[in-house]
Amino acid sequence: MPLSDRVLHPGLRRKIMSAEAAAALIPAGANVGTSGFTGAGYPKAVPQALAQRIKLLHADGEDFQIGLWTGASTAPELDGALAKVHGIEMRLPYQSDPAVRKQINNGQMQYTDIHLSHVAQFVWFGFLGHLDVAVIEVAGILPDGRLIPSSSVGNNKTWLDQADAIILEVNTSQNPALEGMHDIYYGTELPPYRIPIPLLQPGDRIGEPYLRCDPDKVIAVVHTDLPDRSNQFAPPDENSQAIAGHIIEFLQHEVKHGRLPKDLLPLQSGVGNIANAVLAGLNDGPFRNLTAYTEVLQDGMLDMLRSGTLAMASATALSLSDEATADFNANIAFYRERIVLRSQEMSNHPELIRRLGLIAMNAMIEADIYGNVNSTHVMGSSMMNGIGGSGDFARNAYLSIFMTPSVAKGGSISCIVPMVSHVDHTEHDVQVIVTEQGLADLRGLSPTQRARLIVERCAHPDYRPALLDYMERAQRESLGQHTPHLLDDALGWHSGYLKTGSMMAA
Ligand code: COA
């Protein structure tokens, strides 16, 4: 489909220009809000042109950096390209690009890790400063200037509303049949004028299929035809199959005891290999006609929709491999009936998550014996990706499940430790911990009861004796007996790993 069929507003047609010309309109020091969520729907041409411009300016000795705000992670063509030329002063919220991660961990880039449901309202509140420019990928522009969103919605509504100037990237490789799949809710207000959000079921449509956009704020329209990043997932291995098996058994047990209906409650599934593999397990499991109220749709969710395990799914973005994207495009009429894409302040909204009663399943880096969870920091100081939506869901879900293999890096790291080296989710927000070894249901237990269960059920046998030894010594020597700890030893597993390369030796 040619560009002229996608840009139907006459005034905006006159603003079509090259990515280089559009990038030249972004001033140094600007806060730039871009589309993009887990490698879907991000602008692909203007950021690369901007990176090229920054490279030349830096070679001439000029300072040029921007603040980069997105929905969540993007791709090498966006934050990756800008990081490589040291063009980002401040990045927020979730990221997963290796170049960005390296600069954050070298102290060369500022990074603020915000719950994904908070980002839009923090901008409305003025907590993050002023948004200067929005760069948004769209699938098309209607005659009245409204926009057809592409493969993610993220924070686009907020960026379009708040930015002084807008650059639109019209991506003709995005399927035109995406039109109608989105639901953009315009009923949000600032406190004290907020009203309840009228969404009662995961599939409810409460807004409009298009993004509103003031054509007078649009300073450039740029054509692209590049596909989204391919999100490759590791095939389910023995560990992830075992984790999925424990979760299915647990959910069946909950149905049997009347704590869950037989078609469960809406599922939320986090990012990454483990989460995707657990979906594969659920797809082979006994449940049918489920729903999902989640943030990203990974390959596993499409498989579940096709098989009928899942009746419908609500999210803010797709995050697919090339093969899954091909299937999505070939069968978009089928998926359009079953998928709703929303703004991330709706997909991750605490009020909705609590009311719908979600089953939240998120991966983690490590948990401690008391059930505190670290989702973000390796060895307490190196940022992996960010908290993403895991806190939005974990804090408010009906059931909050965290999962990980019991060991990492070939067994040299135990993912169950005496004390987590960084806390993202406190013991109060974590109800179930699962590893390939087993599942610990922590509901209603005291800290010492939780510790015994987590070590017995979830720790790897190679680390279990050392954890039991820690618990026994802590119960003898700790100042308090409510949550016994040995402060000198609690982080010794991590410091031991940093010194010797293994927690075994610690
Ligand atoms: N210590 C050090 N490194 C660890 C570790 C630990 N305890 N546990 C895992 N890792 C490493 C793995 O070795 C792997 O490293 P590699 O990339 O060098 O091989 C990496 O972390 C990812 O681990 P993997 O087991 O493949 O997990 P994943 O792809 O399922 O990702 C998270 C796990 C926690 C990183 C990921 O889920 C995440 O970023 N979560 C936070 C955000 C979130 O939950 N969002 C969902 C809300 S919708």
Side-chain angles (χ1 to χ4, degrees):
M1 190 186 268
L3 184 63
S4 54
D5 289 351
R6 300 269 190 138
V7 183
L8 302 178
H9 184 281
L12 293 183
R13 268 193 191 162
R14 288 193 289 275
K15 294 182 184 174
I16 295 173
M17 62 182 79
S18 69
E20 291 69 25
L25 301 174
I26 298 175
N31 285 325
V32 180
T34 76
S35 59
F37 199 107
T38 50
Y42 54 91
K44 296 160 179 80
V46 174
Q48 295 198 82
L50 181 62
Q52 191 53 30
R53 179 177 161 220
I54 293 174
K55 190 174 170 188
L56 296 175
L57 288 168
H58 285 181
D60 282 349
E62 278 192 51
D63 287 340
F64 196 119
Q65 285 192 311
I66 60 164
L68 179 63
W69 307 353
T70 61
S73 61
T74 62
E77 303 97 301
L78 204 177
D79 55 355
L82 289 165
K84 280 188 181 143
V85 298
H86 297 275
I88 306 173
E89 193 268 327
M90 164 64 82
R91 174 83 176 90
L92 67 89
Y94 184 86
Q95 54 70 43
S96 65
D97 184 86
V100 173
R101 187 184 292 135
K102 192 167 168 201
Q103 287 185 20
I104 291 169
N105 289 320
N106 284 343
Q108 294 173 314
M109 188 191 295
Q110 303 305 312
Y111 173 55
T112 176
D113 190 17
I114 304 176
H115 294 299
L116 294 184
S117 74
H118 273 174
V119 181
Q121 67 165 14
F122 276 16
V123 177
W124 308 336
F125 298 165
F127 288 1
L128 302 179
H130 188 69
L131 183 66
D132 301 293
V133 184
V135 186
I136 309 291
E137 180 186 279
V138 296
I141 303 175
L142 298 180
D144 61 7
R146 285 179 302 161
L147 309 173
I148 304 169
S150 73
S151 47
S152 68
V153 182
N155 284 315
N156 294 352
K157 164 183 155 274
T158 296
W159 298 165
L160 290 163
D161 176 52
Q162 296 279 315
D164 294 335
I166 297 166
I167 297 172
L168 298 174
E169 277 199 11
V170 182
N171 188 338
T172 46
S173 84
Q174 291 284 4
N175 195 327
L178 281 166
E179 185 172 355
M181 195 179 259
H182 312 87
D183 184 60
I184 316 295
Y185 178 61
Y186 280 92
T188 51
E189 293 288 349
L190 297 185
Y193 303 107
R194 284 186 165 164
I195 56 167
I197 297 160
L199 187 145
L200 301 179
Q201 299 296 329
D204 285 355
R205 289 180 175 273
I206 57 171
E208 308 163 15
Y210 305 111
L211 289 159
R212 297 178 191 169
C213 174
D214 175 359
D216 291 341
K217 288 208 297 185
V218 177
I219 55 172
V221 176
V222 174
H223 177 210
T224 56
D225 63 354
L226 296 168
D228 281 335
R229 174 186 97 188
S230 173
N231 294 287
Q232 288 305 338
F233 298 103
D237 60 6
E238 262 179 41
N239 279 346
S240 52
Q241 282 167 357
I243 291 171
H246 298 315
I247 292 177
I248 290 166
E249 201 182 312
F250 170 72
L251 295 175
Q252 285 178 303
H253 179 263
E254 291 301 292
V255 172
K256 199 167 140 204
H257 287 83
R259 289 187 288 265
L260 280 176
K262 75 173 183 352
D263 48 3
L264 305 181
L265 286 167
L267 302 177
Q268 177 263 332
S269 168
V271 292
N273 292 317
I274 300 292
N276 196 54
V278 166
L279 295 178
L282 277 170
N283 201 23
D284 294 337
F287 303 109
R288 287 290 170 275
N289 214 26
L290 309 181
T291 58
Y293 197 83
T294 191
E295 180 186 292
V296 280
L297 297 183
Q298 301 193 145
D299 289 16
M301 286 257 177
L302 292 199
D303 296 339
M304 290 169 80
L305 284 167
R306 271 200 316 281
S307 70
T309 304
L310 208 55
M312 73 76 46
S314 163
T316 192
L318 305 166
S319 180
L320 305 175
S321 66
D322 280 344
E323 303 75 61
T325 301
D327 162 63
F328 176 81
N329 283 324
N331 298 297
I332 197 156
F334 171 87
Y335 289 118
R336 267 165 56 100
E337 297 297 309
R338 291 163 178 82
I339 293 176
V340 183
L341 295 177
R342 311 178 189 280
S343 295
Q344 74 191 62
E345 78 261 20
M346 288 298 123
S347 64
N348 289 34
H349 200 292
E351 176 194 341
L352 302 176
I353 294 166
R354 178 69 66 94
R355 182 144 44 79
L356 295 172
L358 266 50
I359 300 172
M361 299 177 290
N362 289 293
M364 60 178 165
I365 285 178
E366 60 180 4
D368 68 27
I369 54 175
Y370 296 118
N372 299 290
V373 162
N374 171 11
S375 294
T376 55
H377 283 69
V378 172
M379 298 299 144
S381 60
S382 278
M383 173 54 65
M384 177 65 92
N385 301 322
I387 193 167
S390 56
D392 296 322
F393 291 102
R395 178 78 186 90
N396 301 292
Y398 181 88
L399 267 177
S400 171
I401 301 173
F402 279 95
M403 53 211 181
T404 178
S406 63
V407 291
K409 305 289 177 208
S412 59
I413 293 177
S414 172
C415 299
I416 306 295
V417 289
M419 183 183 267
V420 282
S421 57
H422 174 92
V423 190
D424 291 293
H425 312 291
T426 73
E427 54 176 311
H428 314 286
D429 298 334
V430 178
Q431 285 135 17
V432 176
I433 287 185
V434 198
T435 69
E436 81 291 350
Q437 299 292 323
L439 179 146
D441 176 1
L442 307 174
R443 291 171 296 174
L445 301 186
S446 71
T448 47
Q449 291 170 327
R450 290 162 79 99
R452 195 147 291 281
L453 200 66
I454 291 171
V455 174
E456 275 169 8
R457 297 273 168 86
C458 301
H460 192 278
D462 290 350
Y463 287 98
R464 213 173 278 150
L467 287 165
L468 289 170
D469 174 63
Y470 177 86
M471 280 159 53
E472 279 157 21
R473 285 188 297 121
Q475 284 183 10
R476 281 199 306 275
E477 298 167 31
S478 171
L479 169 71
Q481 285 305 312
H482 179 62
T483 307
H485 261 310
L486 300 171
L487 296 185
D488 286 341
D489 291 7
L491 293 173
W493 291 40
H494 300 86
S495 57
Y497 173 80
L498 292 176
K499 281 183 206 131
T500 66
S502 173
M503 284 186 176
M504 270 304 178

